[in-house]
Amino acid sequence: MTHTIQPHIEFLICTLDEGVHQIKALLMPVQPRISYLVSWQHSAEQSESRTNGSTITLARKYPLPEWLKERPDVRVVHLAGRGLSRNRNCALSHAQGDWLVIADDDCRYGEQSIAHIYEALNRHPDADILQLQVHCPDGSPLRTYPATPYEYRNRPRFVYISSCELVLRRQAALPRFDERFGLGAYLGCGEEELFVFQASKQGLKVYYEPLHLVVTDGQTTGGKFAVSKPVQRAKGGLLTLIHGTMGALLRCFKYAFVYRTEGWGRRCSYFFQMIKGIVYVHTHHTLP
């Protein structure tokens, strides 16, 4: 009888400052072929250089909680500053698993999560990236998901991606997260959408499966368009990189003036912020 060795799944947990204490509820019981990498970012060290051996320095300055030291399946790396995309890139650089689950410190996983990852891998042995589903604590989907699988190039209209839906093959030629986008950056979201778009554009296979992966009670940042200028700017920047400048201008104009039933002042403000996002991607490098 032939036994198939399951691939090694590693959860990449990006956390900032005191968020490290939330990780305890994320960790599942120790089990074979499952591990965790915690990328612990310290905003108090905003000015520290990226190239001065900061992981060792910060590890001495910020000791781990005792309960985390007791976990043989957890590795921790440290980095200075802010920016979720920068944190995710740090995690990708230190990852060791065969398949990498993008996680935040408020995510919650269970045995079903692992089973569904393996099920999706069996369905798509050629996959480079998998997109699964996020649920709320009451069991309902975080948003309305398509009922049927698809490959990213054939995705339905108006679907979008959240980072904690993603499972990545480490050996694929993955892009890096654009550090102009995401929490803590001038363009306050959209990094995962751009990441998957760029991966697909360079030929990677991205499959969606309607399978539950994770529970979280956090609203996605992209859902805060009406109240967040960084999110509004990110909309313009993301549309520019996907559709070009002229395509972005037309889409931003349409989006601003059909969005809900806002007054004209609010609509003009939305459009202005999206234009600032367009300008920003033309004047700032992807790795500031």
Side-chain angles (χ1 to χ4, degrees), residues 5-256:
I5 298 177
Q6 300 282 25
H8 172 194
I9 296 175
E10 185 173 34
F11 291 81
L12 306 185
I13 308 166
C14 292
T15 190
L16 176 69
D17 295 336
E18 296 304 311
V20 71
H21 298 291
Q22 299 187 63
I23 292 171
K24 190 173 185 178
L26 180 155
L27 302 176
M28 294 177 287
V30 177
Q31 53 190 301
R33 314 287 301 165
I34 304 297
S35 66
Y36 307 85
L37 173 67
V38 178
S39 184
W40 188 6
Q41 199 167 26
H42 307 285
S43 60
E45 308 297 329
Q46 179 75 42
S47 62
E48 183 160 345
S49 168
R50 299 183 184 202
T51 59
N52 65 351
S54 62
T55 293
I56 296 175
T57 302
L58 292 172
R60 292 170 180 164
K61 187 171 183 178
Y62 298 96
L64 299 180
E66 290 300 321
W67 56 265
L68 194 53
K69 294 179 183 179
E70 298 171 357
R71 292 289 303 230
D73 52 347
V74 178
R75 293 183 298 124
V76 180
V77 295
H78 300 256
L79 74 158
R82 298 183 64 87
L84 181 56
S85 288
R86 183 181 171 203
N87 203 351
R88 297 209 191 287
N89 286 336
C90 176
L92 286 175
S93 296
H94 289 86
Q96 296 178 354
D98 299 317
W99 285 88
L100 312 174
V101 181
I102 301 295
D104 295 321
D105 51 31
D106 59 354
C107 289
R108 303 294 178 260
Y109 300 91
E111 291 302 317
Q112 187 183 56
S113 305
I114 305 302
H116 283 168
I117 292 173
Y118 287 142
E119 181 177 344
L121 291 176
N122 287 332
R123 292 181 185 179
H124 304 288
D126 62 333
D128 296 298
I129 299 177
L130 297 171
Q131 179 195 1
L132 305 182
Q133 292 186 357
V134 181
H135 285 207
C136 300
D138 64 3
S140 62
L142 183 65
R143 63 173 186 273
T144 301
Y145 286 98
T148 56
Y150 58 81
E151 205 280 326
Y152 181 81
R153 294 174 183 82
N154 300 314
R155 63 194 181 279
R157 293 187 66 190
F158 307 119
V159 301
Y160 64 95
I161 293 167
S162 297
S163 57
C164 54
E165 298 168 352
L166 299 178
V167 184
L168 317 175
R169 184 168 65 86
R170 183 172 62 86
Q171 294 296 336
L174 298 168
R176 286 296 182 259
F177 287 95
D178 189 319
E179 296 187 18
R180 295 172 296 186
F181 291 81
L183 285 174
Y186 185 76
L187 308 176
C189 69
E191 74 283 0
E192 60 274 85
E193 196 76 50
L194 182 58
F195 176 88
V196 173
F197 170 79
Q198 292 174 334
S200 180
K201 187 176 181 180
Q202 68 188 40
L204 301 189
K205 293 293 185 67
V206 183
Y207 293 101
Y208 162 78
E209 280 290 337
L211 298 170
H212 165 73
L213 174 63
V214 59
V215 171
T216 182
D217 57 4
Q219 181 187 15
T220 60
T221 309
K224 301 176 182 178
F225 179 86
V227 298
S228 173
K229 290 181 180 179
V231 172
Q232 294 161 19
R233 294 193 293 260
K235 184 78 172 179
L238 181 63
L239 288 172
T240 303
L241 294 176
I242 292 177
H243 299 289
T245 303
M246 185 56 67
L249 284 169
L250 295 173
R251 287 169 171 82
C252 288
F253 183 85
K254 179 180 178 180
Y255 193 83

